[in-house]
Amino acid sequence: MKKNSLVIIALAISFFGFSQEEDVQEKSVIQEYTPSKLLDKGQWDIKWFNNLYTETKDLFGQNGSERDIPRNTFFTSTVDIFTGISEKSNINVGLLLEFRSNVVGGRNGLDVFSFDGDFASARSGFTSIAPAVKFNPIKSVSNFTIQSALFIPLVDNESEDFIFDTEGNQINNGVFLDQNGFVFQNRFFYDYTFPSGDWQLFTELNAEYNFGKSNASFANDSLRLTPGVFLSYFPSSKFTVLGLVQHSQLIDINNDFSQDFTAIGGGFKYQITKELNIETLYTNFIRGTDTGLGQTFNIGLRALF
């Protein structure tokens, strides 16, 4: 009887240890497929991400003092599609598509979803399309990748011209939609998972060179650098909470215009099914120069199969 009990205990310990090993080895998409991870040949990664930025304060002018302004809201919806094409899983190709809807002049923030095209306060439409490639430049550092994309503008003009009625009253707010210029974007991704497996550090540097026809865009002949740090904690393999810090610096080559801002925020990701996960983020612009001091509300869905 005693021998039988010892055998049962030994089997139970072995089974429990084997189960734990399986749990450790099995990772969800949100754990394994960070932006630093490349897809295997034949895999597809489709992400639909939505960003709503709204502001009632800004920092503009010679002294850069904070001022109250009528609410402006800018909604951006992007679809990113990537697939693996290499047997060695070291290169992916993709396509990025961007849609925007903006309302200004004190309208309600949710009016961006009206798509009413009000002449004095709203604009919307598809604004850019970008072929992209993602690759691993250093074979010995598999969690370091670069994503390069060329954004082709689909807008005729960035802002509508100011128009006044016969009495001199402004009836069109010159609504801005998006840059009317090309953007060559390079995003550098790196992540590190701590030995415990519960914590993960992700870093990104987004470098964008803006160019195009002379005077077509306020941003042409400028370089925007946006470093960011994201720290994630995984209570389970299917759920993570994260915090972030980002800074963005626009460097104008002709010294006509410069801009910078710093934002902090947080959010979570949840693995709904084996293929599908959801992500939400909130950020707050805490400082800046010649920029709005607003907030962003973000939600995205990602399918990987």
Side-chain angles (χ1 to χ4, degrees), residues 127-142:
T127 60
S128 66
I129 187 170
V133 61
K134 192 173 181 180
F135 59 96
N136 170 232
I138 305 174
K139 293 182 179 180
S140 60
V141 188
S142 61

Side-chain angles (χ1 to χ4, degrees), residues 79-146:
V79 176
D80 299 356
I81 304 172
F82 279 92
T83 186
I85 61 170
S86 169
E87 295 287 354
K88 296 182 179 180
S89 303
N90 58 5
I91 186 168
N92 298 164
V93 295
L95 187 68
L96 317 177
L97 186 64
E98 187 169 270
F99 175 89
R100 291 178 182 253
S101 177
N102 304 336
V103 296
V104 300
R107 290 187 60 174
N108 186 288
L110 295 180
D111 283 353
V112 292
F113 302 114
S114 298
F115 310 113
D116 55 26
D118 179 76
F119 185 68
S121 63
R123 290 183 71 192
S124 62
F126 288 98
T127 60
S128 66
I129 187 170
V133 61
K134 192 173 181 180
F135 59 96
N136 170 232
I138 305 174
K139 293 182 179 180
S140 60
V141 188
S142 61
N143 52 345
F144 172 62
T145 57
I146 300 174

Side-chain angles (χ1 to χ4, degrees), residues 2-305:
K2 186 176 180 180
K3 290 183 179 180
N4 290 339
S5 298
L6 290 174
V7 170
I8 292 171
I9 292 172
L11 289 173
I13 292 173
S14 299
F15 177 78
F16 179 73
F18 180 74
S19 299
Q20 278 191 318
E21 185 178 350
E22 280 191 327
D23 291 340
V24 170
Q25 290 178 351
E26 185 177 351
K27 291 184 177 181
S28 66
V29 167
I30 60 174
Q31 283 182 307
E32 184 173 3
Y33 285 92
T34 67
S36 308
K37 176 76 171 180
L38 291 174
L39 304 172
D40 296 330
K41 185 177 181 180
Q43 276 190 305
W44 287 86
D45 187 357
I46 302 173
K47 185 175 183 179
W48 177 37
F49 193 76
N50 301 281
N51 170 288
L52 188 147
Y53 170 82
T54 186
E55 62 183 15
T56 56
K57 295 180 182 294
D58 69 10
L59 288 167
F60 275 92
Q62 294 181 348
N63 57 4
S65 58
E66 183 178 319
R67 64 178 183 176
D68 294 327
I69 59 172
R71 182 177 297 278
N72 299 318
T73 304
F74 305 93
F75 172 71
T76 305
S77 183
T78 58
V79 176
D80 299 356
I81 304 172
F82 279 92
T83 186
I85 61 170
S86 169
E87 295 287 354
K88 296 182 179 180
S89 303
N90 58 5
I91 186 168
N92 298 164
V93 295
L95 187 68
L96 317 177
L97 186 64
E98 187 169 270
F99 175 89
R100 291 178 182 253
S101 177
N102 304 336
V103 296
V104 300
R107 290 187 60 174
N108 186 288
L110 295 180
D111 283 353
V112 292
F113 302 114
S114 298
F115 310 113
D116 55 26
D118 179 76
F119 185 68
S121 63
R123 290 183 71 192
S124 62
F126 288 98
T127 60
S128 66
I129 187 170
V133 61
K134 192 173 181 180
F135 59 96
N136 170 232
I138 305 174
K139 293 182 179 180
S140 60
V141 188
S142 61
N143 52 345
F144 172 62
T145 57
I146 300 174
Q147 178 179 307
S148 297
L150 177 63
F151 285 83
I152 303 167
L154 301 178
V155 296
D156 294 327
N157 54 321
E158 294 183 337
S159 300
E160 298 289 0
D161 294 331
F162 290 101
I163 295 178
F164 300 85
D165 62 19
T166 56
E167 298 178 355
N169 298 312
Q170 183 179 316
I171 59 174
N172 178 8
N173 285 324
V175 185
F176 176 82
L177 182 58
D178 198 5
Q179 295 175 216
N180 184 18
F182 292 86
V183 180
F184 180 49
Q185 180 191 74
N186 288 284
R187 301 174 69 183
F188 302 84
F189 302 126
Y190 177 79
D191 71 76
Y192 174 76
T193 301
F194 291 88
S196 67
D198 296 335
W199 293 88
Q200 189 176 76
L201 183 69
F202 170 72
T203 59
E204 173 187 359
L205 174 61
N206 185 3
E208 297 180 345
Y209 175 63
N210 305 282
F211 65 99
K213 294 181 180 178
S214 177
N215 299 323
S217 171
F218 79 95
N220 279 353
D221 296 324
S222 68
L223 176 66
R224 183 180 292 278
L225 298 175
T226 308
V229 178
F230 302 74
L231 182 63
S232 298
Y233 171 67
F234 292 88
S236 73
S237 63
K238 294 184 177 181
F239 180 73
T240 182
V241 291
L242 61 93
L244 66 95
V245 178
Q246 280 186 313
H247 178 77
S248 184
Q249 186 83 39
L250 180 67
I251 304 168
D252 193 289
I253 297 173
N254 299 317
N255 295 317
D256 295 329
F257 177 72
S258 62
Q259 180 188 60
D260 71 87
F261 62 81
T262 304
I264 60 173
F268 72 85
K269 296 181 183 181
Y270 180 71
Q271 194 74 39
I272 302 172
T273 68
K274 187 177 180 180
E275 295 82 15
L276 183 67
N277 66 71
I278 187 170
E279 173 183 359
T280 66
L281 282 174
Y282 167 81
T283 63
N284 190 294
F285 287 53
I286 58 173
R287 60 154 306 280
T289 304
D290 287 337
T291 187
L293 291 178
Q295 310 168 73
T296 71
F297 302 88
N298 311 271
I299 187 168
L301 288 173
R302 182 189 185 194
L304 190 146
F305 51 91

